[in-house]
């Protein structure tokens, strides 16, 4: 039987809130399902609450609201945080991504998340 995890998009107000919402959707109150992009990708690969047979879907309701909340402004905020701790070798790349986000261009946090889902759990994402 296919398990459905519901992300209530109206509750996603930023990346930190997304981690809480997805954790609760998959693993119940105070549940964990990643707190950064790498951990989220790992969780989607299995063993962190999703069924072993990988028969699940992620139903992201009101995805348009989340898309706005996780848009270029939130992306710029996240990239500023990343820039403060990224190794020197990657600073120019992150600074370039930040400049793009501040100009309202480029991939957004919403894009990062949906791309990870599509890569690690193909065919499971339903944007509603």
């Amino acid at each position: 039987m296919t398990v459905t995890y519901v992300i209530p998009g109206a509750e996603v107000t930023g990346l930190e809130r997304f981690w809480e919402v997805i954790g609760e959707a998959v693993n119940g109150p105070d549940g964990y399902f990643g707190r950064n992009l790498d951990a989220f990708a790992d969780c989607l690969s299995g063993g962190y609450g999703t069924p072993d047979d990988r028969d699940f879907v992620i139903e992201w309701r009101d995805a348009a609201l989340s898309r706005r909340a996780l848009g270029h402004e939130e992306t710029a905020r996240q990239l500023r945080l990343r820039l403060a701790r990224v190794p020197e070798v990657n600073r120019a790349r992150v600074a370039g991504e930040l400049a793009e986000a501040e100009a309202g261009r480029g991939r957004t946090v919403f894009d990062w998340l949906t791309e990870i889902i599509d890569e690690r759990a193909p065919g499971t994402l339903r944007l509603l």
Side-chain angles (χ1 to χ4, degrees), residues 27-96:
N27 290 309
D30 297 321
Y32 174 85
F33 203 70
R35 294 265 188 265
N36 63 60
L37 298 172
D38 290 333
F40 180 55
D42 289 344
C43 287
L44 283 166
S45 296
Y48 293 93
T50 57
D52 289 337
D53 64 5
R54 300 186 49 80
D55 187 11
F56 69 92
V57 295
I58 298 171
E59 190 173 282
W60 197 327
R61 297 181 183 165
D62 296 316
L65 296 175
S66 295
R67 185 183 300 273
R68 280 192 292 280
L70 301 173
H72 289 105
E73 185 177 323
E74 175 67 1
T75 304
R77 188 176 77 79
Q78 292 298 323
L79 289 169
R80 280 187 214 98
L81 293 170
R82 188 180 297 175
L83 192 58
R85 64 181 187 275
V86 71
E88 186 64 36
V89 67
N90 295 324
R91 287 186 66 77
R93 179 184 52 78
V94 174

Side-chain angles (χ1 to χ4, degrees), residues 72 76 80 95 97-105:
H72 289 105
R80 280 187 214 98
E97 291 174 7
L98 174 57
E100 285 292 297
E102 289 174 333
R105 296 186 303 261

